Amino acid sequence: MDKIMKMLLVEDEPKMRELIKIAFKKENFKIYEAIDGKQALNFLKNDDFDIIILDIMLPEIDGWTVCREIRKFSDVPIIMLTARGEEFDKLFGFELGADDYIVKPFSPRELVARVKALLRRAESKNGEKDNVIDAGGIKINTMSREVIINEKVISFTNKEYELLLFLCRNPNIVFTREQLLLKVWGYDQYGDPRTVDTHIKRIREKLGDKSNYIITIWGVGYKFEVKQ
Ligand code: CA
């Protein structure tokens, strides 16, 4: 992996955070630390991450709830940390959307291996190689933030870009306007859902012959689907 991966590490115990940071020291990761669930959700409101390490027993908001909240707007890989003796209900965890879990105490090397495996899985799932997403001919370079359609760079405003990127990364899922507002504009902005509509309208205009990839689900919201 040449790309620097952004990791959100959610763990209230300083020693455990230190251990994990040391484990990833020689790897290509930039680690952001959150010490409780509330902080974690705040981070996610402002930023995208490649992977999340999420402790279950957390002050404020526990790991389960954080996981469930994240899944409302993101499919970022999540690996849960659980203490030995702590009841970990595997099925419950996977139902909430956790991708993997590891029991404390764990070997740092194993955690690194698990994280890398998860990232590889996520990468092949999204078909995202070298920071370029190709969603049915809509090519998005997430480093340069360029959108290329039919060999032409199309200019998007910041929010249009983010909205399009989010939809392309999460194809075939219906999102409500509120969910899109949450993801693209941030949690605490109780924005007007029509903001989403006007942005979708403008994005569609720019997508040209690919405008029908964004499908309106009447009474619900939108979904991105590549039409063959
Ligand atoms: Ca803990």
Side-chain angles (χ1 to χ4, degrees), residues 10-13 16 35 55-59 81 83 86 104:
V10 191
E11 167 64 83
D12 55 322
E13 294 154 67
M16 187 56 70
I35 59 165
D55 187 31
I56 292 172
M57 296 294 276
L58 291 168
L81 301 181
E86 218 172 78
K104 294 177 194 173

Side-chain angles (χ1 to χ4, degrees), residues 1-223:
M1 267 178 270
D2 309 322
K3 187 184 161 194
I4 294 175
M5 292 290 175
K6 280 168 77 176
M7 175 194 291
L8 181 62
L9 170 57
V10 191
E11 167 64 83
D12 55 322
E13 294 154 67
K15 269 192 191 153
M16 187 56 70
R17 287 203 305 276
E18 213 42 52
L19 187 90
I20 292 170
K21 279 196 295 180
I22 290 167
F24 284 93
K25 207 168 182 172
K26 287 188 183 145
E27 311 290 337
N28 261 339
F29 285 88
K30 183 160 170 50
I31 301 177
Y32 297 77
E33 295 169 63
I35 59 165
D36 60 48
K38 228 171 150 178
Q39 248 189 24
L41 289 172
N42 259 325
F43 263 112
L44 285 154
K45 168 176 93 177
N46 297 313
D47 226 333
D48 281 325
F49 294 89
D50 297 298
I51 186 125
I52 299 176
I53 295 182
L54 180 59
D55 187 31
I56 292 172
M57 296 294 276
L58 291 168
E60 300 279 348
I61 306 171
D62 67 64
W64 295 127
T65 311
V66 175
C67 183
R68 193 167 46 214
E69 285 303 310
I70 294 171
R71 281 294 172 258
K72 287 182 184 167
F73 59 86
S74 168
D75 62 353
V76 58
I78 300 175
I79 183 162
M80 311 265 322
L81 301 181
T82 170
R84 188 156 50 186
E86 218 172 78
E87 184 116 7
F88 184 87
D89 188 333
K90 232 180 174 173
L91 273 179
F92 182 58
F94 293 144
E95 246 168 57
L96 284 184
D99 297 283
D100 200 1
Y101 72 100
I102 194 162
V103 181
K104 294 177 194 173
F106 46 82
S107 99
R109 219 196 266 170
E110 185 178 357
L111 179 64
V112 174
R114 297 268 200 106
V115 162
K116 285 184 173 174
L118 259 187
L119 284 169
R120 272 195 301 274
R121 250 156 64 195
E123 194 173 82
S124 59
K125 194 176 81 187
N126 296 338
E128 195 166 332
K129 292 244 161 61
D130 303 323
N131 311 310
V132 175
I133 298 169
D134 187 341
I138 301 173
K139 289 184 185 136
I140 304 177
N141 185 323
T142 56
M143 290 299 275
S144 61
R145 295 172 75 91
E146 271 175 342
V147 181
I148 298 152
I149 300 168
N150 301 329
E151 314 297 319
K152 259 194 259 163
V153 178
I154 313 285
S155 127
F156 285 84
T157 66
N158 190 32
K159 288 298 177 210
E160 288 168 5
Y161 169 83
E162 279 174 23
L163 182 55
L164 177 64
L165 178 63
F166 179 73
L167 289 171
C168 288
R169 272 184 170 157
N170 299 283
N172 307 317
I173 301 170
V174 179
F175 293 102
T176 65
R177 290 168 177 81
E178 287 73 21
Q179 285 170 327
L180 294 171
L181 269 179
L182 188 76
K183 179 55 201 164
V184 178
W185 281 267
Y187 288 137
D188 17 41
Q189 184 169 338
Y190 292 100
D192 186 342
R194 279 172 300 186
T195 308
V196 176
D197 299 334
T198 55
H199 279 73
I200 292 279
K201 185 165 171 274
R202 271 184 263 140
I203 292 171
R204 277 186 177 139
E205 284 165 8
K206 293 178 184 182
L207 291 181
D209 62 351
K210 295 177 179 16
S211 64
N212 62 343
Y213 287 7
I214 300 178
I215 298 161
T216 306
I217 311 293
W218 293 108
V220 186
Y222 296 99
K223 103 175 152 172

